[in-house]
Amino acid sequence: MSVYLDHAATTPLRREVLDAMLPYLAEHHGNPSSIHASGRRARLGLDEARETVARLLGAKPREVVFTSGGTEADNLAVKGAAWAASARGRRVVTTAVEHKAVLNACSVLERFGFEVVYLPVDRYGSVDPADVAASITDRTVLVSVQYANNEVGTIQPVAEIGAICRELGTLFHVDAVQAAAFLPLDVDELRADLVSLGAHKLYGPKGAGALFVRQGTAVLPQLSGGSQERQRRAGTENVAGAVGFARALGLIHADVSAREAENERQATLRDGLIARLTAVAGVALTGHPAQRLPNSASFVIDGVEGGDLVAALDLEGIEASTGSACTTGSVDPSHVLLAMGIDPERAHGSLRLTLGRGTTADDVERTLRVATRAIGRLRAARAGVPAAASA
Amino acid sequence: MARVVAAMSGGVDSSVAAALLAREGGEDEVVGVWMRLHPDGGEGYEQNRSCCSPDAADDARRVAQLVGIPFFILNLEREFGARVIDAFTDAYLDGATPNPCQACNQYIKFDELLRRGLAAYDADRVATGHYARVAEDGGSYRLLRAADADKDQTYFLWVLDQAQLAATRFPLGELTKPQVRAMAAELGLPTAAKPESQEICFVPAGDYRTLLEERRGYAGEPGPIVDADGARVGTHTGYAHYTVGQRHGLGVTLGEAVYVREVQPASNTVVVGRRDDVAARRFTAEGRRFVAGDPASERFEASVRIRHRGSDVPCEVTLVGDDRFAVETAEPVWAPAPGQAAVLYDGEVCLGGGRIARAA
């Protein structure tokens, strides 16, 4: 059995979620916009899912727009809200460590004449709310800040930033995709106008997610077509996906103390992993030491290419990541690590281990054993010692 | 149990090599690796560039899936940039003819893959889709030509040393290309009918002048084309745009076809001559390497090949100092170009070689 420590990339589907979805993949095939009984049956599932999500967010059902996932939610929030407000101003504020879904949506806005401010972060990857306040002008229409970073797990002071945005009269978008499996999501407490969520990061299905859009906030649809989702997202709804998403979100957030107990369990395992891996020479923790997601352990490892280490771990049955789910083998070091002031050479040696509901103490032990050995082997090879001689 | 890294380019040869290992390798565990050598194309563009494009990665991945082996991408962009692309441009700037495929084989497919790849995948060996054979005899290794003489690639592999040969497998060495294609089709590999890659993978449309300008700021300065007697017979666009043996693009006729005979960087001069002037019976090679170490005798008979798929010419070889050897061929060879490899054979055995040196 392999050890899966890449829950920040995606999580396994929970059985309860699958069970909730199956009827909508099989017998309830109708189009929720249809007039007839099959359509109404599908609509029932969709409406219930929307109510569930709304309740868990402290929102109204009409404020929930189902999307194909976190990336689409981010695009609808950033591009949609910026365009809709563009008559008032064309300035957007975000941070240097956002997910690519936000950063590349911003770069599209720049191509169309928007000014985008990318706020710096400190060495832990944290944004200073004072920087946000200082960067907001009369022309600023949107501030977009992630709840927690996907690569290093650092949690941002979003509620504080939300209060600033509200006071200065600008819309506030929170990319909560990575944080949603762990942190409270009450949209009023976050003081957010837009919140992105993705189902597969919280034991739900891929291809499903949602954007919370506070009532009265205009967004220009990024998919044009029919009038679904109150004309904010065209296309026949992914009913099974929405149902699965709602169920997955409910399983985590309906019981706050259970959620916190599971967070605590993962954090304890994670703390042991960090303590022992950073005891290896040339291994340093990245991200905030305390203000971080409970499942997240991320490192830079001197003398090692992150991609090589991940391959080495995989061949020993440990599934990890260099920091983001990267399939093309790009050589560019992580923009997040660079923004934190880590030099490019060190940033190449990144490793991210993200725990999950199924992670055990044995998994952590095995990971430490395999990782320590692989790091030694890779360093020896870089130093020019033939692989056979170092074995 | 041993673990073998199958280098997969996405082409038909390395696909079949990986498939053969996976299906017939017995106890060995096979890991497919595609080496990424170039950056991606820009956003929104579909790229379709010869052997090293993302398309090729997709093909390699698909083959790995079909034969049921793990698949990884090893990023060697930086190494490829320095050791292959920069070396390519610098050869032109030096008035020599680069040999990028050989540099890629030497530095990327063997040095880097063996050093870094074996460590990353905790493997014992690397296998590639080259057409060549390795014979072991009491712990010493010999590099032999492929069974398919048409496809033999030892011209690119002469740099391999004993340790590298010991850790290398060429599963296609005994096969012919038609057999390989038939196997690919039989295995249902998506790469079965893929055309051969011909052009240099990092020089789109064969225009290396743009690369010289982008990478090294060399725009080319016009200079004289002279004949063997030093008489000016034309004007060139910049010495680095010419290579020995080149016929096209000179704009010079001397009653018959003329060829580049020599490129002189220092004086920005291109020397031309008639066809016979460009042939030679004597030349020197430097940076010599012999697969089994230096031969016992300083002077020996062999045959020499100075271009891939060129003919083998009988010759006498004399070792000179620690780094060079002189070649005297039985008959003239066409355009021995500085920078190109001169590879020595004894029948089926590839002995080693060197890089042709500029005439003293």
Side-chain angles (χ1 to χ4, degrees), chain A residues 107-108 111 305 308 310-312 314-316 327-331 345 348 377-378 381-384 387, chain B residues 3 29 31 34 36 40 43 61 70 72-75 77-78 114-123:
Chain A
S107 84
V108 170
R111 257 184 267 170
E305 195 72 34
D308 293 359
V310 169
D314 176 48
L315 290 167
E316 303 292 328
T327 55
T328 57
S330 163
V331 77
E345 202 49 48
H348 277 290
R377 193 174 74 233
L378 290 165
R382 178 172 285 194
Chain B
R3 188 178 280 159
E29 184 188 353
V31 174
W34 182 78
R36 184 191 170 101
D40 255 340
E43 174 192 355
R61 178 184 298 108
F72 299 108
I73 293 176
L74 185 65
N75 195 310
E77 275 176 63
R78 285 189 289 184
L114 281 167
R115 183 182 65 81
R116 215 176 105 192
L118 293 189
Y121 314 116
D122 200 14

Side-chain angles (χ1 to χ4, degrees), chain A residues 270-294:
Chain A
R270 187 273 317 269
D271 290 343
L273 178 62
I274 289 175
R276 288 171 59 197
L277 202 55
T278 53
V280 175
V283 178
L285 181 73
T286 55
H288 200 284
Q291 289 300 314
R292 64 187 301 138
L293 292 177

Side-chain angles (χ1 to χ4, degrees), chain B residues 117-133:
Chain B
L118 293 189
Y121 314 116
D122 200 14
D124 312 279
R125 283 190 267 287
V126 164
T128 70
H130 285 107
Y131 289 84
R133 290 177 292 167

